[in-house]
Amino acid sequence: MAFSDPKVYFDLLLVPMLARFKGDPSAYDLAFSTCVMIDNFGDLLAVERNISPKTAREELAGECSDFRKVGAVANAFKHVEIIRWDPGRTCGDRLGAAFDDGSYFDDGTTWDDSDERVVIDFPDLCETVTDFLRRRF
């Protein structure tokens, strides 16, 4: 099994991981793994095309802006802070969370004066990027 082959990596690792994540969207380990696996697709593309990982990621992000968002999430998981993201860009909806732990009321509402947080629907975001990769590769 050559996991350095983008198609093999996609079919045998990424797609099954995304399915597990969609089945349990509250699992941090699956969120982390899925985002990192999607972001690492840039590394595979770089090796396959003999280009830099940065160039590969820029190419993918140029065709699918959500690829950059998943990369930012993967980077934040890995480094505790996002180090490859332009803070001027919003990577999700800005919503005020009802409570300090980032949670909301059951109906998704919050207090009017709550601090805003960036909120992303990770399973949908990951599925969007995975669908792009499926069509592209």
Side-chain angles (χ1 to χ4, degrees), residues 90-108:
T90 301
C91 62
D93 296 327
R94 294 190 67 80
L95 302 170
F99 305 101
D100 288 341
D101 67 355
S103 62
Y104 296 83
F105 296 117
D106 288 343
D107 64 358

Side-chain angles (χ1 to χ4, degrees), residues 110-135:
T110 185
W111 302 111
D112 289 341
D113 61 349
S114 295
D115 291 335
E116 286 190 339
R117 301 173 189 273
V118 175
V119 179
I120 299 172
D121 185 340
F122 290 129
D124 287 349
L125 180 67
C126 290
E127 185 172 42
T128 296
V129 177
T130 301
D131 287 345
F132 156 73
L133 294 171
R134 179 181 288 120
R135 289 188 309 273

Side-chain angles (χ1 to χ4, degrees), residues 32-76:
F32 169 75
S33 299
T34 304
C35 289
V36 169
M37 291 178 88
I38 289 171
D39 184 58
N40 284 347
F41 200 86
D43 295 333
L44 295 175
L45 183 62
V47 169
E48 183 180 74
R49 295 198 179 156
N50 197 27
I51 58 178
S52 75
K54 179 181 179 186
T55 299
R57 282 184 176 82
E58 287 172 354
E59 177 183 322
L60 292 169
E63 295 179 41
C64 176
S65 63
D66 287 336
F67 182 84
R68 186 180 314 275
K69 295 174 189 176
V70 172
V73 172
N75 187 273

Side-chain angles (χ1 to χ4, degrees), residues 21 24-35 77 101 122:
F21 179 35
D24 187 4
S26 65
Y28 288 113
D29 60 333
L30 299 177
F32 169 75
S33 299
T34 304
C35 289
F77 271 124
D101 67 355
F122 290 129

